[in-house]
Amino acid sequence: MKKDGHIHTPFCPHGTLDPLEDYIEKAINEQFTDITFTEHAPLPLNFMDPTPDKDSGMKPELLTTYLDTLSQMKEQYKNDIRIHIGLEVDYIVGFEEETKAFLNMIGPSLDDAILSVHFLQWQGEYCCIDFSEEEFMKFANKVGSVEAVYDLYYDTVLRSIEADLGVFKPKRIGHPTLVHKFQHSHKEQISDEHRIKEILNAMKKKGYELDVNSAGLSKKYCLEPYPPFTMIDYAKSINLPLVFGSDAHAVKDLHQHYEKIFL
Ligand code: ZN
Ligand code: FE
């Protein structure tokens, strides 16, 4: 099996309109046997998206079309590649009940899914920590330090792993070191290997998979995958199931850096 398990689509409001067929044909050409489309699920209706354009999640009214379109593609290409219908679902502290209700509703239509943390809560306010280095630093000043944001991120990922989100809770944890995205912008070296290991161990205990996400390698202030290579090695040493994810929001980024990560 050769899988890319984290792919965005034209249904992403902050992505590109590259057609699904182009992603699929590229995957077939590069001999992938399995791909999962994991569009950002619609955010809970009562959650205020803190990003300026409020475009972190898919528009709720497009969800049915998204699922129908993917079913059609799955059928159309079934002799060439296994297409899995998925979503990238946000874990947001304080919105567990809404998320569970959403998963209970949508779960039966999905083949695969990812649970990710993009939003951190601090004193009742939310921040999308991967939006921009300015937003990240503003948040770090509020929380107290860059290290405090790292800790808050890992605490939140741990909560996502432990959370009761019902029987359709995703089995894969998305990019658990996304908080490294701006590390070469703020230039602070945080020693967080014990925290990352804590997370990987918690995932192992729960029987989850790790999204080995190559997108960070292409981000100019990150330059490493999520999680970094040493932690991918650690994940392998504890036999945590690894699933490559390019997190592509454009066809040109599909399968980015696959060969560096999965050799
Ligand atoms: Zn996205
Ligand atoms: Fe994500």
Side-chain angles (χ1 to χ4, degrees), residues 155-225:
D155 289 344
T156 309
V157 173
L158 275 176
R159 286 175 75 167
S160 78
I161 294 167
E162 300 302 332
D164 169 16
L165 298 178
V167 292
F168 295 106
K169 182 176 176 182
K171 300 281 172 284
R172 186 150 73 259
I173 301 299
H175 47 59
T177 59
L178 184 65
V179 73
H180 286 189
K181 186 170 178 181
F182 304 113
Q183 59 181 351
H184 296 296
S185 171
H186 57 69
K187 296 189 172 64
E188 281 194 44
Q189 294 245 12
I190 308 294
S191 68
D192 56 0
E193 295 210 339
H194 63 293
R195 301 276 359 237
I196 303 169
K197 285 182 180 170
E198 186 187 353
I199 284 167
L200 298 174
N201 291 337
M203 288 170 55
K204 171 74 184 172
K205 215 167 133 196
K206 283 274 188 182
Y208 294 160
E209 301 168 334
L210 169 65
D211 170 45
V212 181
N213 190 304
S214 63
L217 276 166
S218 299
K219 304 287 182 215
K220 65 174 176 179
Y221 293 129
C222 187
L223 306 178
E224 65 178 28

Coordinates of all heavy atoms in Angstrom, one line a residue, residues 155-225:
D155 N -0.9 20.2 25.5 CA -2.0 19.9 26.4 C -3.3 19.7 25.6 O -4.1 18.8 25.9 CB -2.2 21.1 27.4 CG -1.1 21.2 28.4 OD1 -0.3 20.2 28.6 OD2 -1.0 22.2 29.1
T156 N -3.5 20.6 24.6 CA -4.7 20.5 23.8 C -4.7 19.2 23.0 O -5.8 18.6 22.8 CB -4.9 21.8 23.0 OG1 -4.7 22.9 23.8 CG2 -6.3 21.8 22.3
V157 N -3.6 18.9 22.4 CA -3.5 17.6 21.6 C -3.8 16.4 22.5 O -4.5 15.5 22.1 CB -2.2 17.5 20.9 CG1 -2.1 16.1 20.2 CG2 -2.0 18.6 19.8
L158 N -3.3 16.5 23.7 CA -3.5 15.4 24.6 C -5.0 15.3 25.0 O -5.6 14.2 25.0 CB -2.7 15.6 25.9 CG -1.3 15.1 25.9 CD1 -0.6 15.4 27.3 CD2 -1.2 13.5 25.7
R159 N -5.6 16.4 25.2 CA -7.1 16.4 25.4 C -7.8 15.9 24.2 O -8.8 15.2 24.4 CB -7.6 17.8 25.8 CG -7.2 18.3 27.2 CD -7.5 19.7 27.5 NE -9.0 19.9 27.7 CZ -9.5 21.0 28.2 NH1 -8.7 22.0 28.5 NH2 -10.8 21.1 28.4
S160 N -7.4 16.2 23.0 CA -8.0 15.7 21.8 C -7.9 14.1 21.8 O -8.9 13.5 21.4 CB -7.5 16.3 20.5 OG -6.2 15.7 20.2
I161 N -6.8 13.6 22.2 CA -6.6 12.2 22.2 C -7.5 11.5 23.3 O -8.1 10.4 23.0 CB -5.1 11.8 22.5 CG1 -4.3 12.3 21.3 CG2 -4.9 10.3 22.7 CD1 -2.8 12.3 21.5
E162 N -7.7 12.2 24.4 CA -8.5 11.6 25.5 C -10.0 11.8 25.4 O -10.8 11.1 26.0 CB -8.0 12.1 26.8 CG -6.5 11.9 27.2 CD -6.1 10.4 27.2 OE1 -7.0 9.6 27.5 OE2 -5.0 10.1 26.9
A163 N -10.3 12.8 24.6 CA -11.7 13.3 24.5 C -12.7 12.2 24.1 O -12.4 11.4 23.2 CB -11.9 14.5 23.6
D164 N -13.9 12.2 24.7 CA -14.9 11.3 24.2 C -15.7 12.0 23.2 O -16.5 12.9 23.4 CB -15.8 10.9 25.4 CG -17.1 10.2 25.0 OD1 -17.1 9.7 23.8 OD2 -18.1 10.1 25.8
L165 N -15.4 11.6 21.9 CA -16.1 12.2 20.8 C -17.0 11.2 20.1 O -17.4 11.3 18.9 CB -15.1 12.8 19.8 CG -14.3 14.0 20.4 CD1 -13.3 14.4 19.3 CD2 -15.1 15.1 20.9
G166 N -17.3 10.1 20.8 CA -18.3 9.1 20.3 C -17.6 8.0 19.4 O -16.4 8.0 19.3
V167 N -18.4 7.2 18.9 CA -17.9 6.0 18.2 C -17.3 6.3 16.8 O -16.5 5.5 16.3 CB -19.0 4.9 18.0 CG1 -19.4 4.3 19.3 CG2 -20.2 5.4 17.2
F168 N -17.6 7.5 16.3 CA -17.0 7.9 15.0 C -15.9 8.9 15.2 O -15.5 9.5 14.2 CB -18.1 8.5 14.1 CG -19.2 7.5 13.7 CD1 -20.4 7.6 14.3 CD2 -18.9 6.5 12.8 CE1 -21.4 6.7 13.9 CE2 -19.9 5.6 12.5 CZ -21.1 5.6 13.0
K169 N -15.3 8.9 16.4 CA -14.1 9.7 16.6 C -13.0 9.3 15.6 O -12.8 8.1 15.4 CB -13.6 9.6 18.0 CG -12.4 10.5 18.3 CD -12.0 10.3 19.8 CE -10.7 11.2 20.0 NZ -10.2 11.0 21.4
P170 N -12.3 10.3 14.9 CA -11.3 9.9 13.9 C -10.2 9.1 14.6 O -9.9 9.3 15.8 CB -10.7 11.3 13.5 CG -11.9 12.2 13.7 CD -12.6 11.7 14.9
K171 N -9.6 8.2 13.8 CA -8.6 7.3 14.4 C -7.1 7.9 14.1 O -6.2 7.2 14.5 CB -8.7 5.9 13.7 CG -10.0 5.2 13.9 CD -10.1 4.6 15.2 CE -11.5 4.0 15.6 NZ -12.4 5.1 15.9
R172 N -7.1 9.0 13.5 CA -5.7 9.5 13.2 C -5.6 10.9 13.7 O -6.5 11.7 13.6 CB -5.5 9.5 11.6 CG -4.1 9.9 11.2 CD -3.7 9.2 9.9 NE -4.3 9.7 8.8 CZ -5.3 9.1 8.1 NH1 -5.8 8.0 8.5 NH2 -5.8 9.7 7.0
I173 N -4.5 11.2 14.3 CA -4.2 12.5 14.9 C -3.3 13.3 14.0 O -2.3 12.9 13.6 CB -3.5 12.4 16.3 CG1 -4.4 11.5 17.3 CG2 -3.2 13.7 16.9 CD1 -5.8 12.1 17.6
G174 N -3.9 14.5 13.6 CA -3.2 15.3 12.6 C -2.0 16.1 13.1 O -2.0 16.5 14.3
H175 N -1.0 16.2 12.3 CA 0.2 17.1 12.6 C 0.4 17.5 14.0 O 0.2 18.7 14.3 CB 0.1 18.3 11.7 CG -1.2 19.0 11.6 ND1 -1.9 19.6 12.6 CD2 -2.0 19.3 10.5 CE1 -3.0 20.1 12.3 NE2 -3.1 19.9 11.0
P176 N 0.8 16.6 14.9 CA 0.8 17.0 16.4 C 1.8 18.0 16.8 O 1.9 18.3 18.0 CB 1.0 15.6 17.1 CG 1.7 14.8 16.1 CD 1.2 15.2 14.7
T177 N 2.7 18.4 15.9 CA 3.6 19.5 16.2 C 3.4 20.7 15.4 O 4.4 21.4 15.1 CB 5.1 19.0 16.1 OG1 5.3 18.6 14.7 CG2 5.4 17.8 17.0
L178 N 2.2 21.0 15.0 CA 1.9 22.1 14.1 C 2.4 23.4 14.8 O 2.7 24.4 14.1 CB 0.4 22.2 13.9 CG -0.1 23.3 13.0 CD1 0.4 23.1 11.6 CD2 -1.6 23.4 13.0
V179 N 2.5 23.4 16.1 CA 3.0 24.6 16.8 C 4.5 25.0 16.5 O 4.9 26.1 16.8 CB 2.8 24.3 18.4 CG1 3.8 23.3 18.9 CG2 2.8 25.6 19.2
H180 N 5.2 24.1 15.8 CA 6.5 24.4 15.3 C 6.5 25.2 14.0 O 7.6 25.6 13.5 CB 7.3 23.1 15.0 CG 7.7 22.3 16.1 ND1 8.6 21.2 16.1 CD2 7.5 22.4 17.5 CE1 8.8 20.7 17.3 NE2 8.2 21.4 18.1
K181 N 5.4 25.5 13.5 CA 5.3 26.1 12.1 C 6.1 27.4 12.0 O 6.7 27.6 10.9 CB 3.8 26.4 11.8 CG 3.7 26.9 10.3 CD 2.2 27.0 9.9 CE 2.1 27.5 8.5 NZ 0.6 27.6 8.1
F182 N 6.2 28.2 13.0 CA 7.0 29.5 12.9 C 8.3 29.5 13.7 O 8.8 30.5 14.1 CB 6.0 30.6 13.3 CG 4.8 30.7 12.5 CD1 3.5 30.4 13.1 CD2 4.8 30.9 11.2 CE1 2.4 30.4 12.4 CE2 3.6 30.9 10.4 CZ 2.4 30.7 11.0
Q183 N 8.8 28.3 13.9 CA 10.0 28.2 14.8 C 11.2 29.0 14.3 O 12.0 29.5 15.1 CB 10.4 26.7 15.0 CG 10.7 25.9 13.7 CD 11.1 24.5 14.1 OE1 11.3 24.1 15.2 NE2 11.2 23.6 13.0
H184 N 11.4 29.1 13.0 CA 12.5 29.9 12.4 C 12.2 31.4 12.3 O 13.0 32.1 11.8 CB 13.0 29.3 11.1 CG 13.6 27.9 11.3 ND1 14.7 27.6 12.1 CD2 13.1 26.7 10.9 CE1 14.9 26.3 12.1 NE2 14.0 25.7 11.4
S185 N 11.0 31.7 12.7 CA 10.6 33.2 12.7 C 10.9 33.7 14.1 O 11.6 34.7 14.2 CB 9.1 33.3 12.3 OG 8.7 34.6 12.5
H186 N 10.3 33.1 15.1 CA 10.6 33.5 16.5 C 12.0 33.1 17.0 O 12.6 33.7 17.9 CB 9.5 33.1 17.5 CG 9.2 31.7 17.6 ND1 10.1 30.8 18.1 CD2 8.1 30.9 17.1 CE1 9.5 29.6 18.1 NE2 8.4 29.6 17.5
K187 N 12.5 32.0 16.4 CA 13.9 31.5 16.6 C 14.1 31.0 18.1 O 15.2 30.9 18.5 CB 14.9 32.6 16.3 CG 15.0 32.9 14.8 CD 16.2 33.8 14.5 CE 16.4 34.0 13.0 NZ 15.3 34.8 12.3
E188 N 13.1 30.7 18.8 CA 13.3 30.2 20.1 C 13.4 28.7 20.0 O 12.6 28.0 19.3 CB 12.1 30.5 21.0 CG 12.2 32.0 21.6 CD 11.3 32.2 22.7 OE1 11.2 31.4 23.6 OE2 10.7 33.3 22.7
Q189 N 14.4 28.1 20.7 CA 14.6 26.7 20.7 C 13.9 26.2 22.0 O 14.3 26.4 23.1 CB 16.1 26.4 20.8 CG 16.8 26.8 19.5 CD 17.4 25.6 18.8 OE1 17.0 24.4 19.1 NE2 18.2 25.8 17.9
I190 N 12.8 25.4 21.8 CA 12.1 24.9 22.9 C 12.4 23.4 23.0 O 12.3 22.7 22.0 CB 10.6 25.1 22.7 CG1 10.2 26.5 22.4 CG2 9.8 24.6 23.9 CD1 10.5 27.5 23.4
S191 N 12.8 22.9 24.1 CA 13.1 21.5 24.2 C 11.8 20.8 24.6 O 11.3 20.8 25.8 CB 14.2 21.1 25.1 OG 13.9 21.4 26.4
D192 N 11.1 20.2 23.6 CA 9.8 19.6 23.8 C 9.7 18.2 23.5 O 8.6 17.6 23.3 CB 8.8 20.5 23.0 CG 9.1 20.5 21.5 OD1 10.1 19.9 21.1 OD2 8.4 21.1 20.8
E193 N 10.9 17.5 23.4 CA 10.8 16.1 22.9 C 10.0 15.2 23.9 O 9.3 14.3 23.5 CB 12.2 15.5 22.7 CG 12.9 16.2 21.6 CD 13.9 15.3 20.9 OE1 14.4 14.3 21.5 OE2 14.3 15.7 19.7
H194 N 10.1 15.5 25.2 CA 9.4 14.7 26.2 C 7.9 14.9 26.0 O 7.1 14.0 26.2 CB 9.8 15.1 27.6 CG 9.6 16.5 28.0 ND1 10.2 17.6 27.4 CD2 8.7 17.1 28.9 CE1 9.8 18.7 27.9 NE2 8.8 18.4 28.8
R195 N 7.5 16.1 25.6 CA 6.1 16.4 25.4 C 5.6 15.6 24.2 O 4.5 15.1 24.1 CB 5.8 17.9 25.2 CG 6.2 18.8 26.4 CD 5.2 18.9 27.6 NE 3.9 18.2 27.6 CZ 2.8 18.8 27.8 NH1 2.7 20.1 27.9 NH2 1.7 18.2 27.9
I196 N 6.4 15.7 23.1 CA 5.9 15.0 21.9 C 5.9 13.5 22.1 O 4.9 12.8 21.7 CB 6.9 15.3 20.7 CG1 6.9 16.8 20.5 CG2 6.5 14.6 19.4 CD1 8.0 17.3 19.5
K197 N 6.9 12.9 22.8 CA 6.8 11.5 23.2 C 5.6 11.2 24.0 O 5.0 10.1 23.8 CB 8.1 11.1 23.9 CG 9.3 11.0 23.0 CD 10.5 10.6 23.8 CE 11.8 10.5 22.9 NZ 13.0 10.3 23.7
E198 N 5.2 12.1 24.9 CA 4.1 11.9 25.7 C 2.8 11.7 24.8 O 2.0 10.8 25.0 CB 3.9 13.1 26.7 CG 2.9 13.1 27.7 CD 2.7 14.4 28.4 OE1 3.6 15.3 28.2 OE2 1.8 14.5 29.2
I199 N 2.7 12.6 23.8 CA 1.6 12.5 22.9 C 1.6 11.2 22.1 O 0.6 10.6 21.9 CB 1.6 13.8 22.0 CG1 1.2 15.0 22.8 CG2 0.8 13.6 20.7 CD1 1.4 16.3 22.2
L200 N 2.8 10.9 21.6 CA 2.9 9.7 20.7 C 2.5 8.4 21.6 O 1.8 7.5 21.1 CB 4.3 9.6 20.1 CG 4.6 10.7 19.1 CD1 6.1 10.6 18.7 CD2 3.7 10.8 17.9
N201 N 3.0 8.4 22.8 CA 2.7 7.3 23.7 C 1.1 7.2 24.0 O 0.6 6.2 24.0 CB 3.4 7.4 25.0 CG 4.9 7.2 24.9 OD1 5.4 6.6 24.0 ND2 5.7 7.8 25.8
A202 N 0.5 8.4 24.2 CA -0.9 8.4 24.4 C -1.7 7.9 23.2 O -2.7 7.2 23.3 CB -1.4 9.9 24.7
M203 N -1.2 8.3 22.0 CA -1.8 7.8 20.8 C -1.7 6.3 20.6 O -2.6 5.6 20.2 CB -1.2 8.5 19.5 CG -1.5 9.9 19.4 SD -0.5 10.7 18.1 CE -0.8 9.7 16.8
K204 N -0.5 5.8 21.0 CA -0.3 4.4 20.9 C -1.2 3.6 21.8 O -1.8 2.6 21.5 CB 1.2 4.1 21.3 CG 1.6 2.7 21.5 CD 1.7 1.9 20.2 CE 1.9 0.4 20.4 NZ 1.9 -0.3 19.2
K205 N -1.4 4.2 23.0 CA -2.2 3.5 24.1 C -3.7 3.4 23.6 O -4.4 2.5 23.8 CB -2.2 4.3 25.3 CG -2.2 3.5 26.6 CD -1.8 4.3 27.8 CE -2.8 4.1 28.9 NZ -2.7 5.1 30.0
K206 N -4.1 4.5 22.9 CA -5.5 4.5 22.4 C -5.7 3.8 21.1 O -6.8 3.7 20.6 CB -5.9 6.0 22.1 CG -6.2 6.8 23.4 CD -7.6 6.6 23.8 CE -8.0 7.5 24.9 NZ -9.4 7.2 25.3
G207 N -4.6 3.3 20.5 CA -4.7 2.6 19.2 C -4.9 3.5 18.0 O -5.5 3.1 17.0
Y208 N -4.5 4.8 18.1 CA -4.6 5.7 17.0 C -3.5 5.6 16.0 O -2.4 5.0 16.3 CB -4.8 7.1 17.5 CG -6.1 7.4 18.3 CD1 -6.1 8.4 19.2 CD2 -7.2 6.5 18.2 CE1 -7.3 8.7 19.9 CE2 -8.3 6.8 18.9 CZ -8.4 7.8 19.8 OH -9.5 8.1 20.5
E209 N -3.6 6.3 14.9 CA -2.6 6.5 13.9 C -2.0 7.9 13.9 O -2.7 8.8 14.3 CB -3.1 6.3 12.5 CG -3.8 4.9 12.2 CD -4.6 4.9 10.9 OE1 -5.0 6.0 10.4 OE2 -4.7 3.8 10.3
L210 N -0.8 8.0 13.5 CA -0.1 9.3 13.4 C -0.1 9.8 11.9 O 0.3 9.1 11.0 CB 1.3 9.2 13.9 CG 2.2 10.4 13.7 CD1 1.8 11.6 14.5 CD2 3.7 10.1 14.1
D211 N -0.6 11.0 11.8 CA -0.5 11.7 10.5 C 0.9 12.3 10.4 O 1.3 13.2 11.0 CB -1.5 12.9 10.5 CG -1.4 13.9 9.4 OD1 -1.3 13.4 8.2 OD2 -1.5 15.1 9.6
V212 N 1.7 11.6 9.5 CA 3.1 12.0 9.3 C 3.0 13.0 8.2 O 2.9 12.7 7.0 CB 4.0 10.9 9.0 CG1 5.4 11.4 8.8 CG2 4.0 9.8 10.1
N213 N 3.0 14.3 8.6 CA 2.6 15.4 7.7 C 3.8 16.1 7.1 O 4.6 16.7 7.9 CB 1.7 16.3 8.6 CG 0.9 17.3 7.8 OD1 1.6 18.1 7.0 ND2 -0.4 17.3 7.9
S214 N 3.9 16.1 5.8 CA 5.1 16.6 5.2 C 5.0 18.1 4.9 O 6.0 18.7 4.5 CB 5.4 15.9 3.9 OG 4.3 16.1 3.0
A215 N 3.8 18.7 5.1 CA 3.6 20.1 4.7 C 4.6 21.1 5.4 O 5.1 22.1 4.8 CB 2.2 20.6 5.0
G216 N 5.0 20.8 6.6 CA 5.9 21.7 7.4 C 7.3 21.9 6.7 O 7.9 22.9 6.7
L217 N 7.7 20.8 5.9 CA 9.0 20.9 5.2 C 9.0 22.0 4.2 O 10.0 22.6 3.9 CB 9.3 19.6 4.5 CG 9.9 18.5 5.4 CD1 9.8 17.1 4.7 CD2 11.4 18.8 5.7
S218 N 7.8 22.3 3.7 CA 7.7 23.4 2.7 C 7.5 24.8 3.3 O 7.5 25.8 2.5 CB 6.6 23.1 1.7 OG 6.8 21.9 1.0
K219 N 7.2 24.8 4.6 CA 6.9 26.1 5.2 C 8.2 26.8 5.6 O 9.0 26.2 6.3 CB 6.0 26.0 6.4 CG 4.7 25.3 6.2 CD 3.7 26.1 5.4 CE 2.4 25.3 5.2 NZ 1.7 25.6 4.0
K220 N 8.5 28.0 5.1 CA 9.8 28.6 5.2 C 10.3 28.8 6.7 O 11.5 28.8 6.9 CB 9.9 29.9 4.4 CG 9.0 31.0 5.0 CD 9.3 32.3 4.2 CE 8.3 33.4 4.7 NZ 8.5 34.7 4.1
Y221 N 9.3 28.9 7.6 CA 9.7 29.1 9.0 C 9.7 27.7 9.8 O 9.9 27.7 11.0 CB 8.9 30.1 9.7 CG 9.1 31.5 9.2 CD1 8.0 32.3 8.7 CD2 10.4 32.0 9.1 CE1 8.2 33.6 8.3 CE2 10.6 33.3 8.6 CZ 9.5 34.1 8.2 OH 9.7 35.4 7.7
C222 N 9.4 26.7 9.1 CA 9.3 25.4 9.8 C 10.4 24.4 9.4 O 11.2 24.0 10.2 CB 7.9 24.8 9.6 SG 7.6 23.3 10.6
L223 N 10.4 24.1 8.1 CA 11.5 23.3 7.5 C 11.7 21.9 8.1 O 12.8 21.4 8.2 CB 12.8 24.1 7.5 CG 12.8 25.4 6.9 CD1 14.2 26.1 7.0 CD2 12.4 25.4 5.4
E224 N 10.6 21.3 8.6 CA 10.7 20.0 9.1 C 9.2 19.4 9.0 O 8.3 20.2 9.0 CB 11.1 19.9 10.6 CG 10.2 20.6 11.5 CD 10.5 20.6 13.0 OE1 11.7 20.5 13.3 OE2 9.6 20.6 13.8
P225 N 9.1 18.1 9.0 CA 7.8 17.6 8.9 C 7.1 17.7 10.3 O 7.8 18.0 11.3 CB 8.0 16.1 8.6 CG 9.4 15.8 8.9 CD 10.2 17.1 8.9

